[in-house]
Amino acid sequence: MQEISFTTKAKAYEWAELSAQDRALIEAAKQMTNHSYSPYSHFRVGAAAQLQNGVIIKGANQENAAYPSGLCAERVTLFAANANYPEEKVEALAIACNADGHFTTDPGAPCGACRQVMLETEHRYTGDMRVLLYGEKYTLVFNSAKDLMPLGFFAEDLLG
Ligand code: THU
Protein backbone atom coordinates (compact mmCIF):
# COMPACT_ATOMS: atom_id res chain seq x y z
CA MET A 1 0.00 0.00 0.00
CA GLN A 2 1.19 3.45 -0.86
CA GLU A 3 -0.42 6.61 0.38
CA ILE A 4 -0.94 9.23 -2.32
CA SER A 5 -1.82 12.81 -1.48
CA PHE A 6 -3.32 15.33 -3.85
CA THR A 7 -2.54 18.95 -3.26
CA THR A 8 -4.16 22.05 -4.64
CA LYS A 9 -3.54 25.76 -4.48
CA ALA A 10 -5.45 29.03 -4.42
CA LYS A 11 -4.68 32.62 -3.47
CA ALA A 12 -6.65 34.57 -0.86
CA TYR A 13 -7.05 38.25 -1.78
CA GLU A 14 -8.36 41.16 0.19
CA TRP A 15 -10.81 43.30 -1.80
CA ALA A 16 -8.32 46.11 -2.43
CA GLU A 17 -5.74 43.66 -3.74
CA LEU A 18 -7.97 42.43 -6.58
CA SER A 19 -7.69 43.89 -10.09
CA ALA A 20 -10.44 46.25 -11.29
CA GLN A 21 -11.58 43.60 -13.79
CA ASP A 22 -11.86 40.90 -11.11
CA ARG A 23 -13.70 43.29 -8.79
CA ALA A 24 -16.19 44.13 -11.57
CA LEU A 25 -16.82 40.42 -12.25
CA ILE A 26 -17.37 39.75 -8.54
CA GLU A 27 -19.70 42.77 -8.29
CA ALA A 28 -21.75 41.24 -11.12
CA ALA A 29 -21.93 37.91 -9.25
CA LYS A 30 -22.93 39.71 -6.03
CA GLN A 31 -25.63 41.66 -7.85
CA MET A 32 -26.98 38.44 -9.36
CA THR A 33 -27.77 37.03 -5.90
CA ASN A 34 -30.80 39.36 -6.18
CA HIS A 35 -31.99 37.27 -9.15
CA SER A 36 -31.75 33.99 -7.27
CA TYR A 37 -35.00 32.01 -7.16
CA SER A 38 -34.49 30.14 -3.90
CA PRO A 39 -37.79 29.95 -1.99
CA TYR A 40 -36.78 26.59 -0.47
CA SER A 41 -33.19 27.05 0.70
CA HIS A 42 -33.19 30.88 0.94
CA PHE A 43 -29.54 30.58 -0.07
CA ARG A 44 -28.92 33.06 -2.85
CA VAL A 45 -26.02 32.36 -5.18
CA GLY A 46 -24.90 34.60 -8.05
CA ALA A 47 -22.31 33.91 -10.71
CA ALA A 48 -20.70 35.85 -13.56
CA ALA A 49 -18.60 34.48 -16.41
CA GLN A 50 -16.02 36.63 -18.18
CA LEU A 51 -15.78 35.68 -21.86
CA GLN A 52 -12.73 36.32 -24.02
CA ASN A 53 -14.70 38.76 -26.21
CA GLY A 54 -15.39 40.95 -23.17
CA VAL A 55 -19.01 39.86 -22.67
CA ILE A 56 -20.08 38.97 -19.13
CA ILE A 57 -22.76 36.26 -18.78
CA LYS A 58 -24.62 36.21 -15.47
CA GLY A 59 -26.72 33.67 -13.62
CA ALA A 60 -28.26 32.76 -10.28
CA ASN A 61 -29.47 29.55 -8.66
CA GLN A 62 -32.95 28.47 -9.71
CA GLU A 63 -34.90 26.14 -7.43
CA ASN A 64 -38.00 24.05 -8.00
CA ALA A 65 -40.71 22.45 -5.85
CA ALA A 66 -39.37 19.14 -7.22
CA TYR A 67 -36.01 19.81 -5.56
CA PRO A 68 -33.58 18.01 -7.89
CA SER A 69 -35.01 19.92 -10.85
CA GLY A 70 -33.29 23.12 -9.71
CA LEU A 71 -29.83 24.22 -10.81
CA CYS A 72 -26.88 25.94 -9.14
CA ALA A 73 -25.82 29.44 -10.17
CA GLU A 74 -22.53 28.20 -11.61
CA ARG A 75 -24.17 25.77 -14.03
CA VAL A 76 -26.95 28.20 -14.99
CA THR A 77 -24.20 30.67 -15.90
CA LEU A 78 -21.73 28.37 -17.64
CA PHE A 79 -24.41 26.61 -19.69
CA ALA A 80 -25.85 29.99 -20.74
CA ALA A 81 -22.35 31.19 -21.69
CA ASN A 82 -21.61 28.03 -23.68
CA ALA A 83 -25.05 28.02 -25.33
CA ASN A 84 -24.96 31.67 -26.40
CA TYR A 85 -21.25 31.90 -27.22
CA PRO A 86 -20.08 28.36 -28.03
CA GLU A 87 -16.87 29.65 -29.63
CA GLU A 88 -15.89 32.01 -26.80
CA LYS A 89 -13.49 30.87 -24.13
CA VAL A 90 -14.65 31.48 -20.56
CA GLU A 91 -11.71 33.23 -18.96
CA ALA A 92 -13.04 33.56 -15.42
CA LEU A 93 -16.05 32.67 -13.31
CA ALA A 94 -16.95 34.62 -10.15
CA ILE A 95 -19.32 33.31 -7.49
CA ALA A 96 -20.95 35.03 -4.50
CA CYS A 97 -23.31 33.57 -1.88
CA ASN A 98 -25.85 35.40 0.24
CA ALA A 99 -27.49 33.78 3.26
CA ASP A 100 -30.15 35.61 5.31
CA GLY A 101 -29.45 38.87 3.53
CA HIS A 102 -25.70 38.80 4.13
CA PHE A 103 -22.88 37.79 1.86
CA THR A 104 -21.03 34.87 3.38
CA THR A 105 -17.97 35.76 5.43
CA ASP A 106 -15.95 32.96 3.90
CA PRO A 107 -15.99 32.16 0.18
CA GLY A 108 -18.74 29.75 -0.93
CA ALA A 109 -17.55 26.34 -2.09
CA PRO A 110 -19.07 25.15 -5.38
CA CYS A 111 -20.70 21.69 -5.33
CA GLY A 112 -19.03 18.73 -7.00
CA ALA A 113 -21.36 18.74 -10.02
CA CYS A 114 -20.55 22.40 -10.71
CA ARG A 115 -16.83 21.71 -10.39
CA GLN A 116 -17.18 18.95 -12.99
CA VAL A 117 -18.96 21.36 -15.36
CA MET A 118 -16.27 24.01 -14.73
CA LEU A 119 -13.65 21.42 -15.64
CA GLU A 120 -15.37 20.56 -18.92
CA THR A 121 -15.86 24.25 -19.79
CA GLU A 122 -12.18 24.90 -19.19
CA HIS A 123 -11.18 21.80 -21.14
CA ARG A 124 -13.13 22.68 -24.30
CA TYR A 125 -11.21 25.92 -24.81
CA THR A 126 -7.47 26.53 -24.75
CA GLY A 127 -5.96 27.68 -21.49
CA ASP A 128 -7.14 27.91 -17.93
CA MET A 129 -10.38 29.30 -16.53
CA ARG A 130 -9.87 31.27 -13.33
CA VAL A 131 -12.43 30.78 -10.55
CA LEU A 132 -13.07 33.58 -8.05
CA LEU A 133 -14.94 32.66 -4.86
CA TYR A 134 -16.10 35.78 -3.06
CA GLY A 135 -16.32 36.07 0.73
CA GLU A 136 -16.72 39.21 2.83
CA LYS A 137 -13.41 38.44 4.57
CA TYR A 138 -11.41 37.41 1.51
CA THR A 139 -11.76 36.17 -2.07
CA LEU A 140 -10.22 32.87 -3.07
CA VAL A 141 -8.76 32.82 -6.56
CA PHE A 142 -8.05 29.53 -8.33
CA ASN A 143 -5.97 29.87 -11.48
CA SER A 144 -7.59 26.80 -13.03
CA ALA A 145 -10.80 24.78 -12.58
CA LYS A 146 -8.45 21.79 -12.22
CA ASP A 147 -7.32 23.21 -8.89
CA LEU A 148 -10.88 22.77 -7.60
CA MET A 149 -11.18 19.21 -8.87
CA PRO A 150 -8.20 16.91 -8.39
CA LEU A 151 -8.77 13.58 -10.15
CA GLY A 152 -11.32 15.20 -12.46
CA PHE A 153 -13.12 13.15 -15.10
CA PHE A 154 -12.38 14.14 -18.69
CA ALA A 155 -13.66 13.05 -22.11
CA GLU A 156 -10.42 11.07 -22.60
CA ASP A 157 -11.35 8.93 -19.59
CA LEU A 158 -14.32 7.57 -21.55
CA LEU A 159 -11.84 5.74 -23.77
CA GLY A 160 -10.56 3.71 -20.81
N1 THU B 1 -26.02 26.37 -4.80
C1 THU B 1 -25.46 27.04 -5.84
O1 THU B 1 -26.14 27.70 -6.63
N2 THU B 1 -24.12 26.96 -5.97
C2 THU B 1 -23.29 26.31 -5.13
O2 THU B 1 -22.09 26.31 -5.35
C3 THU B 1 -23.83 25.62 -3.96
C4 THU B 1 -25.29 25.56 -3.87
C5 THU B 1 -27.47 26.48 -4.63
C6 THU B 1 -28.26 25.24 -4.89
C7 THU B 1 -29.49 25.50 -4.06
O3 THU B 1 -30.38 26.33 -4.82
C8 THU B 1 -28.98 26.32 -2.89
O4 THU B 1 -27.74 26.86 -3.31
C9 THU B 1 -28.79 25.52 -1.62
O5 THU B 1 -28.01 24.41 -1.84
Side-chain angles (χ1 to χ4, degrees):
M1 193 275 281
Q2 194 192 347
E3 190 172 277
I4 302 172
S5 49
F6 299 93
T7 55
T8 192
K9 56 187 179 314
K11 286 184 180 149
Y13 285 86
E14 287 181 23
W15 186 252
E17 295 177 313
L18 291 161
S19 70
Q21 199 190 24
D22 283 353
R23 282 204 298 263
L25 195 65
I26 293 167
E27 287 293 6
K30 288 175 75 175
Q31 194 264 328
M32 284 308 288
T33 62
N34 293 315
H35 293 208
S36 162
Y37 176 65
S38 42
Y40 307 105
S41 73
H42 305 289
F43 190 68
R44 306 168 80 84
V45 186
Q50 176 74 59
L51 307 189
Q52 196 158 34
N53 64 0
V55 170
I56 292 178
I57 299 290
K58 302 180 226 175
N61 58 326
Q62 303 296 313
E63 298 184 351
N64 192 282
Y67 294 170
S69 304
L71 201 62
C72 294
E74 295 89 326
R75 276 175 288 163
V76 167
T77 305
L78 287 179
F79 288 151
N82 297 156
N84 286 288
Y85 295 92
E87 306 303 330
E88 278 313 312
K89 170 177 157 49
V90 181
E91 291 190 323
L93 178 72
I95 299 137
C97 302
N98 190 306
D100 295 326
H102 302 284
F103 288 106
T104 53
T105 313
D106 294 314
C111 78
C114 287
R115 293 177 197 216
Q116 182 67 33
V117 170
M118 289 179 203
L119 207 60
E120 180 100 13
T121 301
E122 177 176 85
H123 198 54
R124 69 187 269 189
Y125 306 106
T126 318
D128 292 336
M129 179 180 80
R130 297 167 68 241
V131 181
L132 319 176
L133 307 180
Y134 173 77
E136 288 278 80
K137 244 179 1 195
Y138 61 98
T139 295
L140 267 186
V141 178
F142 294 81
N143 280 333
S144 163
K146 288 190 285 296
D147 293 334
L148 276 154
M149 193 78 166
L151 268 191
F153 187 76
F154 293 94
E156 295 77 28
D157 296 317
L158 290 169
L159 304 172

